[in-house]
Amino acid sequence: MAPLKSLEAQYGILDSNFQSFCASNGIFTVEDFLLHDLSVLAAFAEQEPTSERLKEGITQVLSIIDRQHQPWLNGLQLLEDAQQNKHVLSTGFKGIDKLLEGGLREGQLTELVGPSSSGKTQLCLRVAANVAIQHKGRVIFLDTGNSFSPRRIEHFVRQISGSVFNEVMSNILCHSTFDIFSMFDVLHQLENSLKSQGHKGDCKARTLIVDSISSLITPILGGSGPQGHALMTSAGFLLKKLAHELNIAVLVTNHMVAGEGGNLKPALGESWKSIPHVRLLLSRDQGNKTCSISILKHPSLASGEVARFVIDD
């Protein structure tokens, strides 16, 4: 299934007006319709000057969904897909790899949660360098706060193997993305590019990193309307879809906010916490380089397990 914009040429009813209406409700692709209450969407359409045309567009998208649904897979097919296409990628930290039984798994969305200065960005940069070197894979890094540092990548590269810096950096693609709509654009472009590329070329995309997802989502969650939460859900759904269909490991970071009694908790609320396959909590000992990482959520490992490791500044 495709972004709504790409369907306009074939289905004139899905014009720019319809796309703008959908975007205001957090809908950018055909798949996004599956996450929404269509009766509520139709009610919103009724309030618009072009309500009849908008409702015709909704009907058209439902027709596309009926024709393009994915086939059912049995347990054996799912197991074969996991064994053949969903590999485990080392993070470059032995403690984390041991905790996660190898590292980050392709096909999964992993969220790294931690307070400010806990080492989230440093860990992401180390993962990027390690995947590019050890797994000879391409890494797409979405930088939402000017935190990407080529010098840190170079430092990690020399630590890991002394590989030629230029060769590794050519496999790490960085995009600066400062709002959620730009992120959607980049992700859809990435999806189309990787699907058309298939298995061509020597370097396969292995990892997508978004540092941080919360800085893009938090600004849209204000207000009493449902649009912000709809956009958040769409973002999570798209990241999981890319992980599964493109067989890549997706790693996102999230900050922490004050909860009851002043205790810190992950940002983005209850609606978000069910979206990632894996949630990891990162903390750092005050005054030194030692970090702890624990499992908050994992589909096959017990929560509460902890590993300690050192991040070089």
Side-chain angles (χ1 to χ4, degrees):
M1 297 187 190
L4 294 179
K5 187 175 182 180
S6 69
L7 299 173
E8 183 178 358
Q10 186 175 358
Y11 305 98
I13 193 71
L14 308 183
D15 56 16
S16 59
N17 179 58
F18 181 78
Q19 294 167 37
S20 297
F21 166 73
C22 290
S24 69
N25 288 279
I27 297 174
F28 298 88
T29 69
V30 175
E31 293 96 324
D32 290 342
F33 271 80
L34 300 175
L35 301 174
H36 287 72
D37 186 329
L38 296 183
S39 62
V40 173
L41 190 65
F44 283 140
E46 287 283 2
Q47 302 171 18
E48 299 292 327
T50 57
S51 60
E52 291 303 316
R53 187 170 177 82
L54 290 175
K55 287 189 287 185
E56 288 179 25
I58 293 172
T59 302
Q60 179 63 72
V61 174
L62 291 176
S63 175
I64 294 172
I65 290 173
D66 286 340
R67 294 197 300 270
Q68 299 187 9
H69 66 276
Q70 293 291 321
W72 291 90
L73 297 177
N74 61 39
L76 181 59
Q77 290 170 318
L78 291 171
L79 178 60
E80 289 176 349
D81 176 59
Q83 292 175 335
Q84 296 174 13
N85 302 315
K86 306 298 191 287
H87 304 106
V88 176
L89 306 178
S90 169
T91 63
F93 294 99
K94 292 182 179 179
I96 298 177
D97 289 348
K98 182 178 180 180
L99 178 71
L100 299 179
E101 296 187 351
L104 304 178
R105 182 169 292 278
E106 294 174 331
Q108 290 185 346
L109 168 60
T110 299
E111 177 191 21
L112 181 65
V113 179
S116 177
S117 302
S118 59
K120 298 187 296 296
T121 295
Q122 299 300 319
L123 194 151
C124 288
L125 294 172
R126 177 64 179 258
V127 168
N130 202 65
V131 170
I133 296 170
Q134 303 291 1
H135 300 282
K136 295 179 171 49
R138 181 161 292 153
V139 178
I140 298 91
F141 196 113
L142 301 191
D143 178 13
T144 71
N146 286 325
S147 60
F148 183 83
S149 171
R151 291 187 179 278
R152 294 298 296 157
I153 293 285
E154 180 182 24
H155 172 74
F156 289 135
V157 168
R158 298 191 187 285
Q159 267 193 338
I160 296 168
S161 69
S163 298
V164 178
F165 178 62
N166 290 342
E167 292 180 3
V168 174
M169 286 302 296
S170 67
N171 288 332
I172 301 175
L173 310 180
C174 181
H175 297 265
S176 294
T177 309
F178 301 115
D179 64 76
I180 195 167
F181 301 103
S182 297
M183 185 189 75
F184 278 121
D185 286 341
V186 171
L187 293 181
H188 287 309
Q189 290 171 21
L190 173 66
E191 179 181 22
N192 293 333
S193 172
L194 293 182
K195 282 186 175 180
S196 63
Q197 176 184 333
H199 296 288
K200 299 175 183 177
D202 297 327
C203 187
K204 175 187 179 296
R206 306 298 297 267
T207 305
L208 168 65
I209 297 172
V210 184
D211 183 31
S212 74
I213 191 69
S214 53
S215 68
L216 300 180
I217 294 177
T218 299
I220 64 172
L221 291 181
S224 57
Q227 288 85 358
H229 281 83
L231 285 168
M232 178 180 70
T233 304
S234 295
F237 178 84
L238 179 56
L239 290 168
K240 292 174 77 172
K241 175 176 178 285
L242 293 177
H244 175 70
E245 294 187 357
L246 302 178
N247 298 317
I248 60 176
V250 178
L251 175 65
V252 302
T253 64
N254 185 7
H255 68 281
M256 302 191 77
V257 295
E260 288 187 19
N263 295 320
L264 292 177
K265 65 177 184 178
L268 305 183
E270 294 295 310
S271 300
W272 171 261
K273 78 174 187 178
S274 63
I275 292 177
H277 298 97
V278 178
R279 295 192 101 188
L280 305 173
L281 175 62
L282 180 66
S283 60
R284 188 168 189 167
D285 294 352
Q286 190 171 4
N288 63 46
K289 302 175 182 178
T290 304
C291 298
S292 299
I293 192 164
S294 59
I295 298 175
L296 297 179
K297 173 187 174 183
H298 198 287
S300 59
L301 300 176
S303 299
E305 295 293 322
V306 180
R308 292 176 69 79
F309 61 100
V310 174
I311 289 184
D312 252 347
D313 287 328

